[in-house]
Amino acid sequence: MNPKDLTVIEHIEELRKRLFIVAVFFVLAMAGAFFVAKPIIKYLQITGESYNIELHAFDVVTPLSIYIQVIFLISFIVSSPILMYQLWAFISPGLRDIERKATLKYIPYAFLLFLAGLSFSFFYLFPYVIKFMMGLSNELDIQPTIGIKDYFSFLFRLTIPFGFLFQLPIVVLFFSRIGMLTPEILVRFRKYSYFGLFVCAAIIAPPELASHLMVSIPLFMLYEISIMISRIGYKKYLQSEEMRLKEEQEAEQKRQIEEALELQRKQIEELKKTIINFKIEVHPKVSVKI
């Protein structure tokens, strides 16, 4: 059955099957994450100690809570390409062949951009924020007692959103590639987009101007990069639309020619029959071959 002809219930059933596949891969990723979560947690602890941060657990369940959070985070990152592929497979029947092939290539880039966002925030933004906060504590003669749960919560809150925000170029390219978004729209709404990104930076970054700017400026640059990428994607969309219209015109011309040939064939057949009937009436004893 053509996926475009499925009913709403059948679409929901297909979505359920694809989510089940994602869940299976997520569980398998969790099984593997049990073995790598411990060294990752130790590495993150060592990173904190390098900034003279001594981490403490204020209850007995905190280590287990941190361990489970890291396992879930690793599992999500590992299984995210499967999630993106299943999402693409679900919506791909509504795309043309050229769009289907083009958007399938976005999945590896989306995964790499997610890792790039995490790396940027962890290796660039997070150290600056920690140094600033610890320096401020020393200037105020405050000895902070930091819980490991709060430390990891702050780390995740600062890094994970960047993984999603770095998806902006891929999202823009996808919608530009299918003609739903144009670079003109992005330019026209630039100031509103900047305001939205500025608010996102205020949510992610600590309440301090320098950290806020360190988050905002990369986001603004990311938006400008998205505009440039949108121009490329929309240009390809226009080319594919031109090709589609050309193919439709050629198909229509071919159909008209076939209809004309079929009509001509029928007319010849009718003419043959008319000639045969006429000769039979004039010379009934004469056999006629045409």
Side-chain angles (χ1 to χ4, degrees):
M1 180 182 293
N2 190 339
K4 296 181 180 180
D5 299 331
L6 297 178
T7 63
V8 175
I9 301 300
E10 290 170 333
H11 277 296
I12 294 175
E13 180 65 20
E14 181 189 3
L15 180 61
R16 185 190 67 81
K17 291 179 180 178
R18 297 196 179 280
L19 290 178
F20 177 76
I21 294 173
V22 173
V24 170
F25 275 94
F26 184 82
V27 172
L28 294 176
M30 285 184 64
F34 272 102
F35 300 97
V36 298
K38 186 175 180 181
I40 289 177
I41 293 173
K42 288 185 176 181
Y43 170 75
L44 295 177
Q45 285 181 276
I46 294 173
T47 303
E49 292 173 359
S50 63
Y51 300 114
N52 297 322
I53 297 177
E54 185 177 351
L55 302 177
H56 302 272
F58 298 111
D59 54 63
V60 294
V61 298
T62 294
L64 177 62
S65 175
I66 297 298
Y67 191 57
I68 293 175
Q69 287 181 26
V70 173
I71 288 174
F72 269 85
L73 178 60
I74 296 172
S75 303
F76 173 77
I77 294 174
V78 172
S79 61
S80 60
I82 305 300
L83 174 62
M84 287 185 286
Y85 174 78
Q86 294 300 326
L87 178 62
W88 171 87
F90 181 71
I91 66 175
S92 62
L95 304 175
R96 298 194 299 273
D97 290 338
I98 188 171
E99 295 172 344
R100 193 177 298 116
K101 294 177 182 178
T103 52
L104 179 60
K105 299 177 182 178
Y106 299 162
I107 295 177
Y109 295 108
F111 179 68
L112 293 176
L113 282 174
F114 186 82
L115 295 180
L118 293 179
S119 301
F120 168 80
S121 56
F122 179 74
F123 292 107
Y124 175 70
L125 180 62
F126 182 71
Y128 173 82
V129 174
I130 290 296
K131 287 180 181 179
F132 176 83
M133 294 299 181
M134 297 305 296
L136 183 62
S137 298
N138 292 332
E139 291 177 5
L140 298 176
D141 294 328
I142 297 175
Q143 183 62 37
T145 301
I146 302 174
I148 189 172
K149 184 176 182 180
D150 296 329
Y151 174 80
F152 274 87
S153 297
F154 178 73
L155 174 63
F156 294 155
R157 185 171 65 87
L158 195 63
T159 57
I160 294 177
F162 267 89
F164 292 102
L165 289 172
F166 267 57
Q167 303 297 307
L168 181 61
I170 289 294
V171 174
V172 169
L173 179 59
F174 173 76
F175 286 108
S176 299
R177 191 65 182 80
I178 63 177
M180 293 183 63
L181 190 64
T182 65
E184 289 76 15
I185 293 177
L186 293 175
V187 172
R188 190 186 313 152
F189 288 93
R190 177 187 274 128
K191 57 182 179 181
Y192 304 108
S193 301
Y194 273 25
F195 177 76
L197 294 174
F198 197 76
V199 172
C200 290
I203 296 173
I204 297 172
E208 182 263 322
L209 182 60
S211 299
H212 195 179
L213 291 177
M214 287 188 66
V215 176
S216 301
I217 292 175
L219 293 181
F220 296 159
M221 294 174 60
L222 200 64
Y223 187 82
E224 295 300 324
I225 293 173
S226 300
I227 293 177
M228 292 187 290
I229 291 176
S230 176
R231 289 192 175 98
I232 298 174
Y234 192 69
K235 183 178 179 181
K236 290 184 177 181
Y237 164 75
L238 294 177
Q239 291 174 350
S240 64
E241 279 294 298
E242 183 179 354
M243 186 181 300
R244 181 183 64 84
L245 292 175
K246 184 178 179 181
E247 290 175 353
E248 289 180 354
Q249 290 176 356
E250 291 176 353
E252 179 65 19
Q253 292 175 356
K254 184 178 180 181
R255 185 187 64 82
Q256 292 176 357
I257 292 173
E258 290 177 351
E259 288 182 354
L261 291 175
E262 180 67 19
L263 180 61
Q264 187 179 24
R265 187 187 65 80
K266 290 180 180 180
Q267 290 174 348
I268 292 173
E269 290 293 332
E270 292 177 358
L271 181 59
K272 286 181 179 180
K273 292 179 181 179
T274 302
I275 293 173
I276 292 173
N277 293 334
F278 175 75
K279 292 199 173 188
I280 290 175
E281 291 177 0
V282 177
H283 304 285
K285 294 183 179 181
V286 179
S287 59
V288 181
K289 293 183 180 180
I290 297 181

